[in-house]
Amino acid sequence: MRVMTILGIRPDFIRMSEVIKGLDAAPKVEHILVHTGQHYSHNMDGVFFEELELRAPDFNFGIGSGTHAEQVARALIETEKLIMDTKPDLCLFLGDNNSALAAISAAKCHVKVARIEGGMRSYDWRMPEEKNRVIVDHISDYIFVYTHRYKENLLLEGIPGNKVFVVGNPIVDILRIWRDRAGAKSRLMEKLQLSTRKFILTTLHREENVDDEAVLQQLMMGLDETSKKLGMPVYFPMSYRTQNRLKEFKVTLSPAIITSDPIGFMDFLNAEQQAALIISDSGTVQEEASILQVPCVVPRLSTERPETIEAGGCMLVGNRAKDIVSASSEMVQRSRIWKHCIGDGKTSERIVRHLCSLEKEIVNREFHPPLVDRHKQLAYSTFIDPLEIVGGGWKRSLDD
């Protein structure tokens, strides 16, 4: 069975690292690893392959930066070309970024699509990620979801239950493997002269936060006032997008906010573990904070990860400075006794095993008639019998 995994940004390679290794090692799988190149700098990309001991991708599309349309168009074109050249049986995706929309090319080439991280919903239609989630979920043949709540979201949207598999969240696997090693290897705290539980770790990158000048001003004000209220510095390893917007909007940062370019996986994981508080709009950081039992304030109007809020480790606070300060003051005092329900540390192994068990079904490219209500079908046409149709063209389209 030939499986093509297509990823494009650093959080997805981190989350998928053990799945990638598992597919590489599976005896009956020929695994092709594709990097779209959506993240491409060493800090945002290369360092993670080194630290997570991941092999180099077999192909890199190099799509780089650009508008949503530019990134998606490049990913669609390059994915279609590669599928026609390599003829995979399955294309595997994770996440909700623009690279995941390459699944459209796979589906149109009649290659089966598997999706990890399905069923998440923020119900916030401002978010480009929300649109991506819905599109990829609905064109996928196999959807691996983290929780039963996510499966219910898909069932309510009419997706058949036999496509959906509850497997847990692979980020639990990754933290279990690397958290102690990160603590031993990282020297970032010494370099920045930060003390354990005496600083605030921050990441902000979402389009609805950093591309809106008024919102970005409020967030920076919130960080400054929270730092003063708690008497702690803020460490802010800043995405390049956020850096550019701060310059564009001429936002001046408080001296209490220590900034840097993006940092490696080991340094960031250790910083998370050492922080007194995390303020982040990253869904992955939300999950990691919940798992590591570090209180987290989420400056967003919605979240696709409500289980982190319900567990007690995260608080959704919106984007006003005063609310960020109030929530931070409350969360930093919260006892770290919550328990997450995200996963059991065996998700990656479970996904690989399940995909391998589906080999016969995946490699079968015969056309299957649509699953429709037979009574409604008879009302439209008495001539069509799904059991006696001719052709379908699924296999032929790939082999031409």
Side-chain angles (χ1 to χ4, degrees):
M1 175 172 65
R2 185 173 293 168
V3 176
M4 180 185 290
T5 297
I6 302 177
L7 304 168
I9 66 172
R10 86 184 210 176
D12 296 351
F13 278 105
I14 293 171
R15 197 181 296 265
M16 280 287 285
S17 57
E18 291 302 306
V19 173
I20 291 168
K21 294 172 186 176
L23 289 172
D24 283 345
K28 293 185 178 181
V29 173
E30 180 186 348
H31 186 216
I32 301 169
L33 180 59
V34 179
H35 192 337
T36 69
Q38 185 174 331
H39 280 177
Y40 51 89
S41 71
H42 183 72
N43 284 356
M44 292 291 283
D45 175 46
V47 66
F48 294 90
F49 283 84
E50 296 166 9
E51 293 184 332
L52 290 163
E53 301 170 4
L54 275 177
R55 69 173 176 90
D58 298 296
F59 300 93
N60 190 317
F61 295 158
I63 66 173
S65 302
T67 66
H68 289 293
E70 289 168 341
Q71 285 188 330
V72 172
R74 292 174 195 145
L76 289 172
I77 292 167
E78 295 304 321
T79 298
E80 182 183 63
K81 289 179 183 176
L82 188 57
I83 286 173
M84 301 312 291
D85 286 343
T86 60
K87 294 180 171 58
D89 299 300
L90 177 84
C91 284
L92 176 62
F93 300 87
L94 179 143
D96 52 22
N97 58 86
N98 286 338
S99 293
L101 289 182
I104 295 171
S105 282
K108 284 181 173 287
C109 288
H110 303 304
V111 174
K112 290 179 180 174
V113 174
R115 155 111 160 108
I116 301 173
E117 200 175 272
M120 286 186 173
R121 295 292 182 269
S122 68
Y123 302 103
D124 185 343
W125 209 237
R126 299 172 308 154
M127 298 177 62
E129 297 91 345
E130 183 75 356
K131 299 177 177 71
N132 295 349
R133 292 178 197 123
V134 173
I135 291 169
V136 181
D137 282 344
H138 280 262
I139 63 173
S140 294
D141 299 281
Y142 309 103
I143 309 173
F144 296 99
V145 302
Y146 297 161
T147 69
H148 286 280
R149 181 203 300 270
Y150 298 163
K151 180 174 181 177
E152 289 171 4
N153 289 343
L154 296 176
L155 297 178
L156 288 170
E157 292 177 11
I159 291 177
N162 64 332
K163 288 186 174 186
V164 186
F165 311 96
V166 181
V167 293
N169 192 325
I171 199 64
V172 180
D173 312 10
I174 307 308
L175 297 193
R176 177 178 57 82
I177 294 168
W178 294 103
R179 62 185 298 179
D180 291 340
R181 280 184 261 186
K185 288 185 177 183
S186 175
R187 295 292 174 267
L188 182 68
M189 296 298 97
E190 294 93 324
K191 179 181 176 182
L192 297 175
Q193 298 183 327
L194 296 173
S195 301
T196 300
R197 296 199 182 184
K198 292 186 178 179
F199 72 96
I200 301 161
L201 177 65
T202 294
T203 72
L204 298 166
H205 74 282
R206 290 196 177 273
E207 183 175 303
E208 65 269 23
N209 276 342
V210 303
D211 285 7
D212 186 306
E213 183 175 358
V215 173
L216 188 57
Q217 290 277 10
Q218 282 289 309
L219 295 177
M220 294 304 106
M221 189 187 308
L223 294 181
D224 180 31
E225 294 177 2
T226 299
S227 174
K228 292 175 182 175
K229 180 80 176 284
L230 300 182
M232 298 180 190
V234 173
Y235 174 48
F236 191 173
M238 197 178 293
S239 73
Y240 298 117
R241 179 195 193 104
T242 306
Q243 292 182 36
N244 291 335
R245 293 299 177 271
L246 288 170
K247 290 178 184 177
E248 178 184 342
F249 299 143
K250 297 181 174 58
V251 178
T252 302
L253 298 182
S254 161
I257 302 175
I258 303 166
T259 65
S260 75
D261 283 344
I263 56 177
F265 172 69
M266 294 292 189
D267 281 339
F268 189 79
L269 177 53
N270 189 49
E272 286 181 302
Q273 297 182 88
Q274 302 296 329
L277 175 72
I278 296 173
I279 300 176
S280 178
D281 62 6
S282 163
T284 296
V285 173
Q286 249 181 275
E287 293 169 343
E288 291 171 348
S290 186
I291 296 163
L292 296 169
Q293 293 186 306
V294 179
C296 180
V297 167
V298 182
R300 296 172 56 187
L301 303 182
S302 61
T303 179
E304 64 287 341
R305 291 163 167 91
E307 63 276 8
T308 64
I309 309 294
E310 293 166 355
C314 298
M315 184 180 291
L316 189 68
V317 302
N319 53 28
R320 298 188 302 178
K322 65 178 184 178
D323 296 328
I324 293 169
V325 177
S326 297
S328 296
S329 300
E330 178 180 339
M331 287 299 294
V332 79
Q333 299 178 52
R334 186 169 291 187
S335 297
R336 303 186 180 199
I337 58 173
W338 63 83
K339 294 182 180 180
H340 73 82
C341 59
I342 295 173
D344 61 0
K346 299 179 181 178
T347 296
S348 303
E349 174 187 338
R350 192 173 292 121
I351 291 171
V352 172
R353 187 171 62 245
H354 192 79
L355 284 174
C356 290
S357 75
L358 293 169
E359 178 184 5
K360 187 174 181 180
E361 178 181 324
I362 289 171
V363 300
N364 177 8
R365 294 205 181 109
E366 292 180 1
F367 173 75
H368 296 281
L371 296 174
V372 297
D373 185 304
R374 183 60 175 150
H375 296 292
K376 289 182 179 178
Q377 187 182 50
L378 287 171
Y380 299 140
S381 174
T382 59
F383 296 96
I384 299 173
D385 185 340
L387 299 179
E388 296 182 2
I389 64 169
V390 177
W394 193 354
K395 184 175 182 180
R396 187 167 59 251
S397 67
L398 253 190
D399 290 344
D400 285 346

